[in-house]
């Protein structure tokens, strides 16, 4: 179960265990947390929603892409859904590699890809309103109705 | 019958999580046009479509039993 | 206690808690683990030794350097000493920042600096021998008897 | 008296973790020379020195009560 959508808090030690390997000298964990202030607007809480079956597939695809680009890598990604408060953990990406530079590079690749192709949405709740947030990369227009070939 | 899944603001506007429709033989583009009239869904141009959990393009022809999901710009992470 | 030398296993959730902040949207954890194979030589186990008082000061200095370069950052570093087996965790670096790119950059900076200025040593034990490992950056000559000014 | 700390291979070669020496007024370079003869310590040229837990250079003059540590190339991480 290296690629998961969950309603529960994510345990860092478990994420670490999923990628531990006798061959690994480095593990990077990226943890996305709920920040209070974005562009001077104060978030009260967030709701995350996922198309779970497809999201799990797309997370696994990102894992496959990483193993092609960085051989001997192990990857685990868990994204939480439901109501998240300030400082709660939304996503954890764990990557182990024999050498440390790859662990940083591969991890960063994973978070960028999540923001492109994984069907998960975030609704921000502020004191004075609420809104489903469009994609954070601000590449919201898909003239062909789907991401470009290179994004799949 | 095909099954249509709605998420995020599309779920709120349509008032539905999922519905079954007679749409086999139609393209995604045709289905989108039909639904945007039915539910007054604006902004379908920035919405991706998945058929059976894979991204699909506007010309894809729907088959009996397909699961279609509209994927607004994602914001996970 | 954000900068520590310890004989005990390091808990990832605790490291995470040390840097959690309402202002942080991203946390990176770098975890250095004991790898079995290095240049085709099979490690049995490692012994880490530290000049503890100075090591803690130098870890805290790295934290200060990061806060100067990347404002609004929180940093915690724990390095383990004693006998470590294959897959054991030797070091954890936790960095939280408002935005994710900084979390990767600042974290990577920390591991490079540890390898330059923190008085910790590693003895490798193989089937056929043992050796104290010189610095991994292979900048072992200090003609002036100390690191260059820029390294302090 | 000054206190001298040994680590890693220096600890093994000298057989000591720490010792007290009459060396106030000497420079680090002079102390190094003295100790490399006493313990047949090779490779002192790649060894850094800390005085009171801060890196110090070869010309630093030792004061009564100083803690000196020899820092072989580090390999943490």
């Amino acid at each position: 179960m290296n690629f998961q959508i969950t309603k529960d808090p994510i345990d860092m030690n478990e994420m670490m265990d999923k990628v531990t390997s006798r061959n690994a000298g480095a593990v990077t964990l990226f943890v996305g947390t709920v920040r209070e202030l974005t562009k001077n607007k104060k978030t009260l809480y967030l709701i995350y929603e996922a198309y779970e079956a497809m999201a799990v597939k797309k997370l696994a695809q990102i894992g496959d892409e990483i193993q092609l680009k960085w051989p001997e890598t192990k990857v685990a990604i868990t994204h939480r859904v439901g109501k998240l408060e300030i400082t709660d953990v939304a996503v954890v990406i764990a990557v182990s590699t024999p050498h440390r530079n790859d662990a940083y590079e591969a991890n960063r690749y994973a978070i960028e890809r999540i923001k492109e192709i994984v069907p998960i949405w975030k609704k921000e709740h502020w004191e004075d309103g609420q809104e489903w947030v469009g994609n954070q990369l601000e590449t919201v227009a898909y003239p062909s109705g789907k991401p470009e070939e290179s994004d799949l | 019958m095909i099954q249509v899944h709605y998420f995020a603001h599309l779920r709120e506007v349509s008032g539905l999580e999922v519905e079954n429709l007679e749409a086999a033989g139609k393209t995604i583009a045709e289905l989108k046009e039909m639904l945007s009239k039915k539910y007054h869904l604006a902004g379908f141009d920035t919405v991706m479509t998945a058929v059976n959990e894979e991204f699909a393009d506007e010309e894809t022809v729907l088959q009996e039993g397909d699961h279609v999901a509209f994927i607004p710009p994602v914001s996970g992470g």
Side-chain angles (χ1 to χ4, degrees), chain A residues 5-45:
Chain A
I5 302 293
T6 180
K7 292 192 166 66
D8 302 318
I10 304 171
D11 184 273
M12 299 300 147
N13 294 317
E14 265 177 42
M15 293 302 294
M16 178 72 202
D17 289 346
K18 288 183 185 185
V19 300
T20 296
S21 153
R22 299 180 72 80
N23 202 23
V27 178
T28 49
L29 296 165
F30 174 85
V31 185
T33 56
V34 179
R35 188 178 57 220
E36 185 160 43
L37 287 176
T38 299
K39 292 175 190 155
N40 292 319
K41 261 191 127 165
K42 195 168 172 179
T43 298
L44 298 179
Y45 63 91

Side-chain angles (χ1 to χ4, degrees), chain A residues 92-147:
Chain A
V92 179
I93 302 164
V95 178
S96 72
T97 59
H99 300 284
R100 70 181 179 282
N101 280 344
D102 291 347
Y104 288 109
E105 296 298 331
N107 196 304
R108 192 177 227 157
Y109 176 84
I111 185 66
E112 300 301 332
R113 290 295 275 159
I114 287 172
K115 289 172 185 294
E116 285 169 3
I117 65 162
V118 181
I120 298 175
W121 303 271
K122 165 166 93 170
K123 189 176 193 175
E124 296 238 25
H125 289 255
W126 306 287
E127 273 167 2
D128 60 346
Q130 56 194 52
E131 192 176 22
W132 287 101
V133 178
N135 113 352
Q136 298 162 355
L137 298 172
E138 287 166 34
T139 54
V140 292
Y142 299 96
S144 68
K146 62 171 192 173

Side-chain angles (χ1 to χ4, degrees), chain B residues 21-72:
Chain B
L21 290 174
E22 296 291 354
K26 286 190 196 295
T27 63
I28 297 284
E30 289 165 348
L31 178 65
K32 276 187 169 182
E33 203 190 324
M34 185 178 117
L35 292 171
S36 67
K37 281 180 190 158
K38 185 172 175 188
Y39 295 116
H40 308 284
L41 295 174
F44 247 11
D45 50 329
T46 63
V47 165
M48 296 185 276
T49 310
V51 176
N52 302 328
E53 300 160 12
E54 275 301 334
F55 291 110
D57 54 35
E58 300 282 279
E59 292 70 41
T60 304
V61 177
L62 296 168
Q63 313 284 319
E64 193 62 26
D66 276 350
H67 285 236
V68 174
F70 296 112
I71 314 279

